Amino acid sequence: MRRISAFLSFFILLSLFRFELQAERLMENMDRGVVVVRTSTDSAFISWRLLKSDADAISFDIYRSDSHNNTIKLNSSPVSKVTFFIDNKCHLSETYIYSVVKSGIKPFEKSGSNFTLKADTLVKQYLTVPLQIPPSTIINGRENTYSANDASVADLDGDGKYEIILKWQPSFVRNPPQRGLTGEQIIDAYKMDGTLLWRINLGKNIRSGAAYTQFLVYDFDGDGCAEMICKTADGTVDGQGNVIGDPKKDWRTLDGNSPMYGKIVNGPEYLTVFDGKTGRALATENYIPDRYPLNGWGGIGGNGNNDSVGSRADRFSAGVAYPDGHLPSAVFVRGWYGRTVVAAWDYRDGKLTSRWVFDSKDAENPYSGQGNHSVSVGDFDYDGKDEFCVGAMTVEDNGQGLYTTGLRHGDALHISDLDPERPGQEVFGIHENEGKTVALQTPGVAMFDAATGEILWGVGPGVDVGRGVAADIDPRYPGCENWGGPGGLRDVHGETISERGPRSTNFVIWWDGDLTRELLDRNQIDKWDWENSTTVNLLRAGECVSNNGTKATPCLSGDILGDWREEVIWRTADNTELHIYSTTIPTDYRFVTLMQDPQYRLSIAWQNTAYNQPPHPGFYLGSGMKK
C-alpha cells in the first residue's frame, strides 16, 4: 500500500508539473532595449530594460566606444539600484556606441545591448523614425491625403527588437453614422530606423474611421515572430501585392441619395492573418459575425436607439487574450450599444480557426447594451487564463459570460489593481445616459470588481459622462484616484478629495522619477500638483500633433524602450516622421520592464482600438506600493 501511495503521489506531482508547463504563458523574447538621448552638448542619458530573467541582485556596466575604437567603462562601480546612467563627457562632434551589459560580461557582443549615438545629434528628447507618406488620391474631385494615426509595436522578425506598425488615416474619414465615401485604409510596418518593411492597403471595401479597422499585432502562433490580424474585404492588397477576394467588386453604396451612401452593407467580410516580416497574407476566413440583420444591433446601450442603415452594425473593437493560458488568441468584437458579439480566433500551424463565439443576441439578454468603445484584457480571476472585458460586461476564457453589471455602454475603461488595500483588480469606467436611457438612472461613473462584477460604488445617476481616468496622481491617498463626471477628483472609494480635478481626462504616463503617474494629453505631459490642485508642464512636443480630433491621443504610449518609465510616440505636424519621446529624468526605482507584465503587454496590443485608452499593468504601481 505504501508503494502504491508513493506511486500515486508521484503521479499527482508529475501531473501538476506537466499542467504548469502546459499553462506557461508564452511571451516574446526581449533585448535590453538600450536608448540614449542627448541632453546637452556634452551629456547623454542612457537607459535600458530590466528583464524577468534577471536575478534580483543583477548589476550592470556601461561602456562607450568612439570612432577611433577607444573603449572605456563609464561607471566606476556596478550599477545595481537603477537602470539608467548619465554620461557627462560625450562630445557633440563624436559618434559613440554605448553598450550596457551585466557586470563582468564583455561589451558590444549582443546587438540588443548597444546603441549608436551619431555625431551632431541634436539635443532632443526623442528618437526619429522617418515615414513614407502614402500618395494622395482624388475622391469626388477633391484631394484625399494621409496622416499618421494609431500605432502598435511588436517584434516582427524575432530579433528581440520592436518594430512599429502604423495606421494611416485618410482625410476622407467617416464614423458609422456619417454618410460619404472614405479614403482607403493603409497600414505600414517600419523598423525603428525608418526602413519600410511592408504596406497593406485594405481597399475600397473597408471603410476608414475609428470604428472600423482594429489591427492586432502579436506572436499568435508562438514562433517568435509577430503577425498582424485585421478585418479585410474583396480588393485588400497584402504587403507583397497579392489581392484578397475579388478585386473587381465594389460593395460601397454609391447612390448619393441613399441614407447608406458611402457605407458598405453588402458583400463578404473577411479576417486575415498577415506575416509580420513581409506583410504577406497567410490565412483568410469569413469574419464572425456577419452584419445581418442591419437592424439587429440596437438595445439599451448608448441612447437606447437602433438603426437599419449600417451604423450600429459597423462598430468594432478587438484585443489579444490567452484563453488557454499558453498561446494568445485574437479576439474581435462587433457591436457596442446593443447586441455584442465577441469572437476568439486561433492562428496555429498556418491555419486561422474559430475558438469560440459569445453573442448577447438581443435586447432581452442582460449582456446586451454593455459594450464600450474600448476593451481590456487580463487574468482577472487569477486562474492563469485571460478574461475579456468589453465595458460593463466580461466574457470568461471559455467564451461564456462571466458577469454583466447592467451599467451599460461607456467611452472610457481602466482596469488594474486600482485599490491595493482590497484583493484583486478593479474596473473604473464612465457611462452614457442620454435619450431613452436617462430614465434608467444608472451611474455615470462607477467602479466594480474585475473578477465578479460586484459594483463597489457609483456616482451621478442619470448623468451622461463622456470621459474619465483612473491613476495614482496624489500620494496622500492610497490607491488610484479617478476623475471625470461629478465629484471632481475622487479617491479610490469614490469620495471627493478635491473639487477641482485635472482638466486632462485622457492618457496617463509614468514619466518622472516618482511612482505617481503624469497626465498625457495632446502633445504634452503635465504633472498634477496635488497641493495646489493644478498642473505643471513637464514636456511639450512643439513639432508634433496628436491624433483623432478631440480625443487628442498619441500614436502610441507604453514602455517601449529603456527603463520602466513609458515612452510616447507622436507624429510630426507634416507627417514625415514619428518622434519617440523618452524620459531623461533620474529615478530611484528599478522595475522589470512593464512589457513583461502580461496584462500591460496586452494593453499595448489593444491600445489602437476605437477610442484609445492608456495601458495599465495587472498590479498596483504607485505611491505606497509594496514590493
Side-chain angles (χ1 to χ4, degrees), residues 40-76:
S40 74
T41 56
D42 57 3
S43 66
F45 189 91
I46 308 152
S47 178
W48 61 94
R49 292 181 183 128
L50 184 70
L51 301 173
K52 267 188 175 180
S53 57
D54 292 330
D56 289 344
I58 191 173
S59 61
F60 298 93
D61 292 328
I62 300 91
Y63 292 85
R64 188 188 69 198
S65 177
D66 61 22
S67 57
H68 305 289
N69 292 322
N70 297 316
T71 298
I72 61 171
K73 186 169 77 168
L74 298 178
N75 54 303
S76 57

Side-chain angles (χ1 to χ4, degrees), residues 73-84:
K73 186 169 77 168
L74 298 178
N75 54 303
S76 57
S77 59
V79 179
S80 59
K81 302 297 184 183
V82 295
T83 44
F84 76 88

Side-chain angles (χ1 to χ4, degrees), residues 125 509-514 516-521 523-530 535-541 565 570 581-585:
Q125 208 166 333
I509 184 171
W510 279 290
W511 184 259
D512 66 5
D514 64 27
T516 60
R517 226 163 174 186
E518 283 64 60
L519 309 172
L520 168 57
D521 187 29
N523 64 342
Q524 64 186 51
I525 296 172
D526 295 323
K527 180 79 171 177
W528 177 245
D529 179 353
W530 56 84
T535 54
V536 177
N537 182 252
L538 301 182
L539 173 75
R540 182 173 287 107
R565 271 88 58 84
W570 282 297
Y581 274 80
S582 188
T583 187
T584 57
I585 302 173

Side-chain angles (χ1 to χ4, degrees), residues 149-222:
N149 194 249
D150 298 334
S152 191
V153 293
D155 182 4
L156 299 180
D157 54 13
D159 64 354
K161 305 177 191 301
Y162 283 139
E163 281 73 46
I164 298 174
I165 302 84
L166 176 70
K167 182 172 77 170
W168 288 96
Q169 180 158 288
S171 54
F172 277 69
V173 64
R174 298 285 186 271
N175 283 322
Q178 298 172 320
R179 300 166 68 252
L181 301 175
T182 74
E184 295 179 351
Q185 186 63 73
I186 293 172
I187 302 176
D188 284 355
Y190 293 90
K191 301 286 283 186
M192 287 289 185
D193 64 3
T195 301
L196 178 63
L197 296 178
W198 45 257
R199 170 167 290 171
I200 293 169
N201 188 331
L202 297 182
K204 58 181 173 287
N205 292 312
I206 292 288
R207 223 171 177 226
S208 182
Y212 305 108
T213 295
Q214 323 304 344
F215 61 100
L216 301 178
V217 192
Y218 211 83
D219 180 9
F220 289 100
D221 59 0

Side-chain angles (χ1 to χ4, degrees), residues 336-560:
W336 297 342
Y337 301 118
R339 180 188 177 198
T340 296
V341 182
V342 184
W345 295 81
D346 291 342
Y347 178 66
R348 312 280 189 264
D349 301 319
K351 296 181 180 180
L352 181 63
T353 58
S354 172
R355 184 180 187 89
W356 49 250
V357 178
F358 171 89
D359 192 343
S360 73
K361 295 181 180 178
D362 55 54
E364 302 304 317
N365 190 306
Y367 285 88
S368 287
Q370 312 301 316
N372 263 42
H373 289 295
S374 58
V375 302
S376 189
V377 184
D379 180 11
F380 305 138
D381 58 7
Y382 302 104
D383 66 352
K385 304 174 183 179
D386 287 333
E387 285 70 52
F388 199 89
C389 179
V390 301
M393 57 171 271
T394 292
V395 179
E396 180 64 285
D397 52 71
N398 60 6
Q400 302 297 310
L402 181 62
Y403 61 78
T404 174
T405 64
L407 294 172
R408 298 181 302 100
H409 167 81
D411 289 0
L413 182 68
H414 303 267
I415 306 182
S416 186
D417 187 4
L418 303 177
D419 183 357
E421 294 183 350
R422 69 179 301 275
Q425 298 190 57
E426 295 77 33
V427 182
F428 171 79
I430 49 94
H431 305 275
E432 287 187 14
N433 287 282
E434 57 181 4
K436 300 176 182 178
T437 65
V438 174
L440 299 175
Q441 290 294 289
T442 48
V445 180
M447 184 176 289
F448 57 89
D449 186 284
T452 66
E454 176 193 359
I455 298 174
L456 304 175
W457 57 263
V459 297
V463 177
D464 183 19
V465 182
R467 293 194 177 194
V469 184
D472 179 32
I473 61 172
D474 189 333
R476 298 174 299 180
Y477 299 88
C480 292
E481 292 71 46
N482 56 84
W483 62 102
L489 180 64
R490 300 172 294 265
D491 66 14
V492 75
H493 306 294
E495 301 296 328
T496 297
I497 59 177
S498 173
E499 293 292 341
R500 184 171 62 182
R503 294 182 64 184
S504 165
T505 49
N506 199 356
F507 271 50
V508 285
I509 184 171
W510 279 290
W511 184 259
D512 66 5
D514 64 27
L515 298 181
T516 60
R517 226 163 174 186
E518 283 64 60
L519 309 172
L520 168 57
D521 187 29
R522 297 172 293 169
N523 64 342
Q524 64 186 51
I525 296 172
D526 295 323
K527 180 79 171 177
W528 177 245
D529 179 353
W530 56 84
E531 294 178 330
N532 298 301
S533 295
T534 187
T535 54
V536 177
N537 182 252
L538 301 182
L539 173 75
R540 182 173 287 107
E543 80 290 357
C544 292
V545 292
S546 57
N547 289 334
N548 303 314
T550 59
K551 301 296 184 292
T553 52
C555 296
L556 185 73
S557 76
D559 184 13
I560 300 165

Side-chain angles (χ1 to χ4, degrees), residues 15-331:
S15 299
L16 289 172
F17 179 69
R18 290 180 61 192
F19 172 77
E20 288 177 1
L21 288 179
Q22 291 169 353
E24 182 182 359
R25 185 177 297 238
L26 188 63
M27 296 179 66
E28 63 202 347
N29 292 317
M30 303 184 72
D31 63 19
R32 287 283 169 214
V34 176
V35 60
V36 182
V37 176
R38 182 169 285 283
T39 51
S40 74
T41 56
D42 57 3
S43 66
F45 189 91
I46 308 152
S47 178
W48 61 94
R49 292 181 183 128
L50 184 70
L51 301 173
K52 267 188 175 180
S53 57
D54 292 330
D56 289 344
I58 191 173
S59 61
F60 298 93
D61 292 328
I62 300 91
Y63 292 85
R64 188 188 69 198
S65 177
D66 61 22
S67 57
H68 305 289
N69 292 322
N70 297 316
T71 298
I72 61 171
K73 186 169 77 168
L74 298 178
N75 54 303
S76 57
S77 59
V79 179
S80 59
K81 302 297 184 183
V82 295
T83 44
F84 76 88
F85 187 85
I86 298 174
D87 180 6
N88 288 314
K89 295 181 180 180
C90 54
H91 302 295
L92 185 64
S93 59
E94 182 67 69
T95 292
Y96 296 107
I97 301 176
Y98 290 88
S99 183
V100 178
V101 294
K102 178 181 176 182
S103 294
I105 302 298
K106 292 182 179 180
F108 305 108
E109 291 189 349
K110 292 186 177 181
S111 61
S113 301
N114 304 333
F115 186 97
T116 299
L117 183 65
K118 295 182 179 179
D120 301 320
T121 296
L122 298 177
V123 178
K124 59 185 183 182
Q125 208 166 333
Y126 58 84
L127 307 181
T128 298
V129 182
L131 299 176
Q132 297 185 30
I133 304 175
S136 61
T137 57
I138 301 299
I139 298 177
N140 289 341
R142 296 169 55 196
E143 184 180 26
N144 169 67
T145 59
Y146 283 89
S147 300
N149 194 249
D150 298 334
S152 191
V153 293
D155 182 4
L156 299 180
D157 54 13
D159 64 354
K161 305 177 191 301
Y162 283 139
E163 281 73 46
I164 298 174
I165 302 84
L166 176 70
K167 182 172 77 170
W168 288 96
Q169 180 158 288
S171 54
F172 277 69
V173 64
R174 298 285 186 271
N175 283 322
Q178 298 172 320
R179 300 166 68 252
L181 301 175
T182 74
E184 295 179 351
Q185 186 63 73
I186 293 172
I187 302 176
D188 284 355
Y190 293 90
K191 301 286 283 186
M192 287 289 185
D193 64 3
T195 301
L196 178 63
L197 296 178
W198 45 257
R199 170 167 290 171
I200 293 169
N201 188 331
L202 297 182
K204 58 181 173 287
N205 292 312
I206 292 288
R207 223 171 177 226
S208 182
Y212 305 108
T213 295
Q214 323 304 344
F215 61 100
L216 301 178
V217 192
Y218 211 83
D219 180 9
F220 289 100
D221 59 0
D223 67 351
C225 300
E227 296 80 29
M228 185 184 80
I229 304 181
C230 69
K231 188 171 179 282
T232 57
D234 285 338
T236 293
V237 181
D238 74 5
Q240 298 297 299
N242 305 305
V243 179
I244 294 171
D246 187 343
K248 298 179 181 179
K249 290 293 187 180
D250 187 344
W251 295 104
R252 297 173 296 176
T253 303
L254 300 178
D255 179 2
N257 297 317
S258 170
M260 293 182 283
Y261 171 57
K263 299 181 182 181
I264 301 156
V265 295
N266 294 297
E269 300 173 280
Y270 308 127
L271 191 68
T272 299
V273 182
F274 296 93
D275 181 72
K277 295 186 288 293
T278 66
R280 180 172 63 90
L282 299 174
T284 297
E285 296 293 336
N286 289 325
Y287 190 88
I288 298 175
D290 62 33
R291 56 175 72 91
Y292 307 113
L294 292 181
N295 65 352
W297 299 89
I300 62 169
N303 57 20
N305 292 338
N306 199 0
D307 66 79
S308 58
V309 293
S311 175
R312 282 166 172 76
D314 229 13
R315 297 171 185 263
F316 304 90
S317 58
V320 177
Y322 287 73
D324 67 359
H326 178 56
L327 283 174
S329 299
V331 186

